[in-house]
Amino acid sequence: METAYIKTPLGIAKILGDADGLQSIIVLNNEETVTKVIPEELEEAVYQLNEYFEGNRQQFDLDLNPQGTDFQQKVWQALLDIPFGKTTSYLNLSKTLGDVKAIRAVASANGKNPLWIVVPCHRVIGSDGSLTGYAGGLHRKKWLLEHESPAKQQSLF
């Protein structure tokens, strides 16, 4: 398993993967030394993440290999269908998966998504439009949604 640490506008991201695909991308709350030489297996992921943060990428084209239960895998797969710049609710996601009563299980699986940004769990919000829990912190979720928003916030000053 290869590891790389890259600097992003939201902190240091830790990327894990191998020839079978990416297993994990998480943002850290502590400082870590940025990887000087990116392992070959992670080069494309680093390149695409940098493009995303520069505003030049809306979709990722990477081999993914997250580890989780069958249900978690199903939820994570459904997250990939949420378009860039759009959001959905936990309730709508549950309906998409065929069981409106599974909303808590869907929310739990969403929170365990190991592939930050690439599998866009940040695009799931509360039914009332509120920013509900996010493993990377609500400030990061807000930043990501604003970054993807078609109507960019303008500064008054």
Side-chain angles (χ1 to χ4, degrees):
M1 186 66 51
E2 299 291 343
T3 305
Y5 296 90
I6 65 167
K7 185 174 182 165
T8 77
L10 297 171
I12 301 296
K14 179 181 179 183
I15 305 169
L16 291 172
D18 57 24
D20 293 329
L22 293 175
Q23 276 196 7
S24 171
I25 301 172
I26 59 171
V27 64
L28 305 174
N29 288 321
N30 57 322
E31 286 300 313
E32 188 66 49
T33 302
V34 173
T35 303
K36 292 190 185 341
V37 178
I38 304 297
E40 183 179 344
E41 294 86 351
L42 304 178
E43 285 177 347
E44 188 61 24
V46 169
Y47 179 76
Q48 290 188 29
L49 282 166
N50 284 330
E51 282 187 322
Y52 170 85
F53 284 115
E54 292 165 359
N56 298 321
R57 176 170 291 275
Q58 295 185 358
Q59 290 184 309
F60 293 91
D61 183 21
L62 299 165
D63 293 329
L64 306 180
N65 190 21
Q67 305 301 300
T69 67
D70 289 344
F71 182 77
Q72 288 171 334
Q73 298 278 353
K74 187 176 171 183
V75 171
W76 300 337
Q77 190 62 45
L79 294 172
L80 292 170
D81 294 331
I82 306 169
F84 182 92
K86 303 289 183 189
T87 59
T88 192
S89 68
Y90 292 100
L91 180 60
N92 285 339
L93 192 55
S94 298
K95 288 177 183 175
T96 299
L97 293 167
D99 186 358
V100 71
K101 294 179 183 173
I103 190 168
R104 289 180 191 261
V106 166
S108 176
N110 191 63
K112 291 183 172 101
N113 169 28
L115 289 165
W116 181 60
I117 298 176
V118 173
V119 176
C121 58
H122 60 278
R123 296 180 188 155
V124 182
I125 59 175
S127 295
D128 62 358
S130 63
L131 296 185
T132 55
Y134 184 63
L138 288 180
H139 66 290
R140 289 186 178 114
K141 183 172 188 166
K142 181 177 186 233
W143 189 97
L144 290 167
L145 292 175
E146 288 176 358
H147 177 68
E148 294 182 1
S149 173
K152 300 293 184 203
Q153 181 71 14
Q154 300 294 315
S155 174
L156 295 175
F157 305 100

